[in-house]
Every structure is written in structure tokens, then in C-alpha cells.
Amino acid sequence: MNEFYQKDIISIKDFDKEKLEKIFTLTEKIMQLNPSERREICKGKTLGYLFYEPSTRTRLSFDSAMASIGGNSLGISNVASSSTQKGESLADTVRMISIYSDVLVLRHTLDGSSRFAAEVSDKPLINAGSGTEEHPTQAIQDLFTMKKEKKKIDGLKIGIVGDLKYGRTVYSLLHGLGNYDVDVRLISPESLRIRSDSTYEIKQKLDLTETTNIEEHLDELDVLYVTRIQKERFPDEEEYLKVKGSYVVGLDMLKRMKDDAIILHPLPRIDEISAEVDNTKNAKYFKQVEYGMHTRAALLGVTLNENGF
Ligand code: CP
């Protein structure tokens, strides 16, 4: 039986290098299939989604991925229009959607929400972002993008810049990178440094440098992973205003980077990458979105097929 069959995807920490590489190989395979072959993978299966926070890419990429492999999707993209407004609990809402679906995708404001939901769901549950804690399928997409665009992950010098305190994609990415031999530079304002409760575990696995100064690292980086300052997670708007616009990647910065360096971003972007960068060969953040659809199709395929695909 395929090891991913009927398994929840709650944390990137459950993926070692071997598992990640298997997903990357299956993603490559799925990208080679013609549309009719692809539609056989999850023919007749249903994905149920439940989003307690806004989303564009994650929800639509799961939706699109499921359609491309022959399945369909249903769910709640805005809990304000659901019976949660009448007081229905997360547990009961998850139970309802699991009755209608073969696999569930949950985004929630709280850390630990996906683990809790997986315990009450009869169907496998995929974490599509839980509080400031994790976004595992984004990390798989990010790692796949690095591998695809740089032809390797081991040996890369990777800068991660922006909101390292509240950005959940950063935590999942760092744990994922912990499976590889990489040199990571964490670049943020002092007040948005990576949370100390997470650094111990991550530092066991990764060679990390923390800095506020992006300039002194630019010429060494193979990958610059830019993140949005997460305004909605600041307890105090004054604190947000102090760090807003701390780093803006524009053509001036790009000129100081290696010719073949790539710029990634989990998106949405606000002002941290200038639009003038979008048309350069280095900008890979829209390609990253496209890869996200294929990595999610591969994950759904292995979760729902006993013998893989
Ligand atoms: N990267 C990401 O999670 O985007 P959305 O919030 O639009 O889903």
C-alpha cells in the first residue's frame, strides 16, 4: 500500500527527505500526463474545503488540482455565510463536510486547529494554513519550485526576508529545508525575528544566520524568499506601521544578486516586491503558484489511491 494513502497532512515535520522526493517525482509524473490520463487519478472523488480565513491561491489551487485529476470540490470558502454564524462548532462543521467528501482541506486562524479537526474527521485532512504555525502544502510547493528552477536543493544559499515572526509559510519552509544541506539567512526587522519557541528545533537541523541587513547577503544568495508583513496578526497597528515597508525588492536589489538567483514569494504580495521585478527572468513567484497546483494534485492523488498512481 502507498504510505500516503488516507493519511492526514498536518505538518511538514511528518515529511522526511525521502517522502518529499517521492512527492516531487509524482509531481513531475503528473505534469507529464495528458489531460485524459490525469483525469483518471481521482475520478469521482470529492474534496471538501473549509476556510475560516481568506484565501485565493490555496483554495483555488486545491479546487483546480482536484478538477484536473477528475474529481470535484465543494465547501465553505467564507464561514460568515455558513451555520458557524448560528454557533455550530468547528468539530461539527468538520464532521458535516467529511460526510460529503473523500478528503478535507482546512484553513483556520488557530494553531493546532488542523490536528484537532483531523481527530474528529473520518476522512484524511489537509492543513491549508493553521494560525501562525504551519502551511505544509505551501512548503512542499516552495521546495518543489526550488528543485525545479535551481535543479537541486542541497547546496543552495537561501535568504528568507520579511515577517519571520507571524508568517506560517516560513516555519513550514524552514522545517522542510531541514531535510537538506542548505545555508539559510533569516532577514527581518528586529521585532519580526523568528519566534524563539521554534528556533531550538530548527537550529538542530539547519545552518542559520539571523540579520536585519539584507544588503550584505544579496550577492551570495541563490534564492530570495520574500514574505509579506502579516498586518492582520499584529496585536497593535502602531507596531505594524513601524515595520511596514522595511524591505522592498526592486531592480536595484536584483542588480546586486547573482544573475541566476530566483525570487520566490508565497503571495499575496503587497509592496515587498516591486512590480518592475515581475518581468525579469529571476521572478519565479507566479511559476511557484503554477507548481502549487501540480504538487497539490500529486498529494491528493497519493492520499486517495491505495496503490498510488
Ligand atoms: N500562499 C497562500 O497561502 O495564499 P492564499 O492565502 O491566497 O491562499
Side-chain angles (χ1 to χ4, degrees):
M1 187 171 67
N2 131 47
E3 64 186 309
F4 301 98
Y5 180 58
Q6 294 293 314
K7 294 278 170 33
D8 302 315
I9 302 174
I10 305 295
S11 170
I12 196 72
K13 295 181 208 172
D14 298 329
F15 285 77
D16 58 17
K17 187 171 185 174
E18 196 183 330
K19 283 187 180 173
L20 287 170
E21 294 291 329
K22 275 187 191 160
I23 297 298
F24 298 159
T25 303
L26 287 166
T27 303
E28 289 283 1
K29 177 177 171 182
I30 226 167
M31 288 169 71
Q32 304 300 323
L33 296 178
N34 67 45
S36 61
E37 289 169 328
R38 200 167 155 143
R39 280 195 294 274
E40 291 301 310
I41 297 173
C42 279
K43 200 171 179 178
K45 303 279 186 195
T46 300
L47 177 151
Y49 55 81
L50 177 53
F51 278 68
Y52 282 79
E53 280 185 352
S55 169
T56 296
R57 278 146 295 274
T58 311
R59 191 178 68 75
L60 292 178
S61 63
F62 269 113
D63 208 344
S64 164
M66 195 54 165
S68 76
I69 54 176
N72 58 81
S73 308
L74 55 84
I76 299 168
S77 56
N78 175 10
V79 286
S81 63
S82 77
S83 286
T84 57
Q85 292 309 101
K86 301 173 198 163
E88 190 161 38
S89 66
L90 172 63
D92 281 0
T93 309
V94 165
R95 280 190 194 104
M96 290 307 108
I97 297 184
S98 77
I99 292 169
Y100 306 130
S101 319
D102 298 293
V103 58
L104 263 76
V105 171
L106 173 69
R107 171 169 290 186
H108 199 279
T109 50
L110 295 178
D111 293 9
S113 48
S114 280
R115 205 164 291 285
F116 167 76
E119 283 169 16
V120 297
S121 171
D122 291 339
K123 307 288 168 53
L125 186 134
I126 302 178
N127 179 1
S130 48
T132 57
E133 173 195 46
E134 278 244 29
H135 194 346
T137 63
Q138 177 73 48
I140 291 170
Q141 161 185 355
D142 298 342
L143 293 167
F144 181 78
T145 306
M146 288 182 201
K147 177 142 189 179
K148 192 82 181 148
E149 295 296 327
K150 298 302 297 176
K151 313 289 178 228
K152 61 175 188 177
I153 299 178
D154 285 317
L156 292 178
K157 288 190 169 62
I158 302 165
I160 305 181
V161 61
D163 184 349
L164 309 186
K165 183 176 184 181
Y166 298 118
R168 59 190 167 207
T169 67
V170 171
Y171 291 86
S172 289
L173 178 59
L174 286 172
H175 283 291
L177 286 172
N179 292 295
Y180 296 88
D181 178 17
V182 287
D183 173 348
V184 178
R185 320 285 169 90
L186 297 177
I187 307 153
S188 72
E190 200 58 47
S191 63
L192 294 181
R193 285 174 62 168
I194 186 169
R195 298 192 297 269
S196 55
D197 56 329
S198 297
T199 41
Y200 177 77
E201 202 181 346
I202 291 168
K203 280 180 178 167
Q204 304 304 305
K205 301 197 282 183
L206 271 178
D207 181 8
L208 290 180
T209 305
E210 289 187 79
T211 179
T212 56
N213 187 346
I214 191 167
E215 306 293 335
E216 62 192 28
H217 296 275
L218 281 176
D219 62 343
E220 289 190 73
L221 300 176
D222 301 297
V223 179
L224 181 60
Y225 186 94
V226 186
T227 66
R228 173 178 69 92
I229 309 259
Q230 309 251 313
K231 182 181 181 188
E232 69 277 19
R233 302 199 193 280
F234 280 67
D236 179 352
E237 193 174 353
E238 282 297 310
E239 292 304 311
Y240 166 71
L241 292 173
K242 282 183 200 164
V243 290
K244 180 178 182 289
S246 295
Y247 305 96
V248 179
V249 179
L251 292 180
D252 52 336
M253 267 196 201
L254 204 54
K255 275 189 202 127
R256 301 212 291 286
M257 296 183 72
K258 289 182 186 171
D259 185 55
D260 63 350
I262 60 170
I263 312 290
L264 303 184
H265 193 311
L267 304 179
R269 154 213 21 208
I270 308 301
D271 55 6
E272 57 280 358
I273 303 179
S274 304
E276 61 193 11
V277 176
D278 295 359
N279 293 324
T280 66
K281 64 178 182 183
N282 313 85
K284 296 294 179 189
Y285 28 94
F286 294 117
K287 198 75 193 163
Q288 192 180 351
V289 171
E290 194 182 318
Y291 292 140
M293 190 181 64
H294 299 302
T295 50
R296 288 184 174 109
L299 287 168
L300 291 168
V302 285
T303 303
L304 294 175
N305 287 286
E306 187 166 1
N307 298 315
F309 62 87

